[in-house]
């Protein structure tokens, strides 16, 4: 009996060692569970390329190029970016109000070819979200609208807080960031839910980029973000325009929602190579992928879970 137990123990330890050795391989696959909903089922990942149109500002208009790169790295065939409407510092309604002869967004939607429309409102109210969604549905009943809220400019919620004379991104804590974003997140989620209820089905989804950005900033504060020493390493200015690591993180969020699949395990995208991180590049890339995927799993309006 003792010999049997020793033999069993040796077999068990060998199996455990093999699992540890190949752990990276397993982790590269889409995650099936999130801490907050460990038993829920994930939606089937989309494997065929989609036709996408984007309206946005300087916190979003670079996402399409990175997502296109990610689709190539993921070997998703036939992804097409049909166009981009770019207006600096814009609300969605400003893209809607472009004169008809120059409104490429409306032209694309009226063609019925757009399968995914991505929008990035700054703050609410913004009637452009509903206007574009209604138009999109008129010409493609199966269209999806992915809304990417912004991370707070100047680290403040502008509708209620006056812009400070000087912004110190490094001085703020993760707890304070979450507190400052709370009303922003709540109002955006409520608006998306209200619109979906109005349409009688789920059409609009959220790409939780700002939640992922906060999580990354917390990792930097904790000294757990390879190649990033301070929160300022994410930004080019006080406003909050992103450097390559932040841009890659945000694009991973959009990619995960658009294609309903994990970015974890994808090779380093071209945008992150611009950060010149040396031997920290692969490690940071993995962290960005995990943070993005966790943010998408945790948010109830991403469409990742079958009950979303």
């Amino acid at each position: 009996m003792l010999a049997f137990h020793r033999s069993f123990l040796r077999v068990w330890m060998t199996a455990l060692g093999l699992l540890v050795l190949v752990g990276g391989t397993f982790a590269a696959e889409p995650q099936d569970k999130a801490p907050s909903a460990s038993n829920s089922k994930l939606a089937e990942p989309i494997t065929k390329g989609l036709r996408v149109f984007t309206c946005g500002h300087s916190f979003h208009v670079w996402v399409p190029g990175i997502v296109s790169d990610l689709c190539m790295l993921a070997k998703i065939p036939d992804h097409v970016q049909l166009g981009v409407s770019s207006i600096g510092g814009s609300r969605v309604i400003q893209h809607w109000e472009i004169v008809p002869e120059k409104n490429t967004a409306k032209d694309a939607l009226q063609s019925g070819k757009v399968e995914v429309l991505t929008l990035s409102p700054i703050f609410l109210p913004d009637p452009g979200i509903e206007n574009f969604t209604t138009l999109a549905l008129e010409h493609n009943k199966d269209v999806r609208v992915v809304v990417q809220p912004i991370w707070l400019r100047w680290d403040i919620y502008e509708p209620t807080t006056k812009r400070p004379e000087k912004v110190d991104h490094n001085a703020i804590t993760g707890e304070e960031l979450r507190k400052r974003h709370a009303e922003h997140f709540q109002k955006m989620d409520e608006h998306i839910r209200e619109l979906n209820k109005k349409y009688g089905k789920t059409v609009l989804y959220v790409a939780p980029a700002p939640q992922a950005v906060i999580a990354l900033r917390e990792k930097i504060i904790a000294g757990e973000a390879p190649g990033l020493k301070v929160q300022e390493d994410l930004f080019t200015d006080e406003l909050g325009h992103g450097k390559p690591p932040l841009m890659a993180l945000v694009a991973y969020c959009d990619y995960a929602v658009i294609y309903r699949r994990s970015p974890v395990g994808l090779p380093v995208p071209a945008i992150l190579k611009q950060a010149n991180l040396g031997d920290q590049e692969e490690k940071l890339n993995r962290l960005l992928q995990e943070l993005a995927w966790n943010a998408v799993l945790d948010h109830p309006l991403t469409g990742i879970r079958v009950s979303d």
Side-chain angles (χ1 to χ4, degrees), residues 67-278:
V67 168
S68 294
D69 185 28
L70 296 178
C71 287
M72 289 190 291
L73 294 174
K75 298 181 181 179
I76 298 175
D78 303 322
H79 171 85
V80 178
Q81 183 68 37
L82 292 172
V84 176
S85 176
S86 176
I87 304 174
S90 60
R91 296 179 299 145
V92 177
I93 191 62
Q94 291 176 253
H95 298 269
W96 178 263
E97 293 174 343
I98 294 174
V99 293
E101 58 269 24
K102 295 182 179 180
N103 201 313
T104 57
K106 288 183 180 179
D107 289 344
L109 293 173
Q110 289 167 347
S111 74
K113 295 179 179 179
V114 178
E115 295 172 288
V116 177
L117 171 66
T118 76
L119 306 173
S120 187
I122 296 178
F123 297 114
L124 300 175
D126 190 337
I129 301 172
E130 181 174 357
N131 290 353
F132 272 123
T133 302
T134 299
L135 179 64
L137 281 170
E138 288 175 356
H139 298 277
N140 182 353
K141 64 180 178 61
D142 297 320
V143 71
R144 288 188 294 141
V145 179
V146 175
V147 177
Q148 180 207 295
I150 64 166
W151 50 100
L152 297 182
R153 302 183 300 184
W154 300 291
D155 284 341
I156 61 166
Y157 184 55
E158 295 168 66
T160 61
T161 306
K162 182 180 179 181
R163 178 183 170 185
E165 293 184 5
K166 180 175 176 54
V167 176
D168 185 354
H169 294 301
N170 296 330
I172 195 168
T173 65
E175 181 181 1
E176 181 62 24
L177 280 169
R178 293 179 188 281
K179 179 180 178 182
R180 294 185 186 186
H181 280 77
E183 184 175 352
H184 176 46
F185 292 159
Q186 179 184 352
K187 288 187 174 181
M188 196 65 65
D189 290 354
E190 287 176 351
H191 186 55
I192 298 304
R193 287 190 174 97
E194 288 169 359
L195 288 177
N196 283 331
K197 184 177 180 180
K198 178 177 181 178
Y199 294 120
K201 63 178 182 177
T202 303
V203 181
L204 295 105
Y205 301 86
V206 173
Q211 287 89 336
V213 171
I214 294 172
L216 177 56
R217 294 178 71 171
E218 289 178 319
K219 288 291 186 182
I220 294 173
I221 293 169
E224 298 173 353
L228 303 176
K229 296 181 180 179
V230 294
Q231 295 179 69
E232 288 285 356
D233 290 340
L234 297 178
F235 307 109
T236 64
D237 54 22
E238 291 186 345
L239 185 72
H241 288 107
K243 289 183 178 180
L246 182 146
M247 296 168 76
L249 174 67
V250 171
Y252 278 137
C253 290
D254 282 72
Y255 165 86
V257 175
I258 292 171
Y259 280 99
R260 292 177 174 166
R261 56 194 292 170
S262 170
V264 178
L266 290 179
V268 177
I271 185 65
L272 191 57
K273 291 183 180 296
Q274 295 179 20
N276 298 316
L277 295 165

Side-chain angles (χ1 to χ4, degrees), residues 277-294:
L277 295 165
D279 60 2
Q280 300 298 302
E281 183 179 87
E282 292 280 356
K283 294 177 181 178
L284 181 62
N285 187 48
R286 180 57 175 248
L287 176 64
L288 299 179
Q289 293 170 343
E290 291 173 347
L291 292 176
W293 186 233
N294 286 337

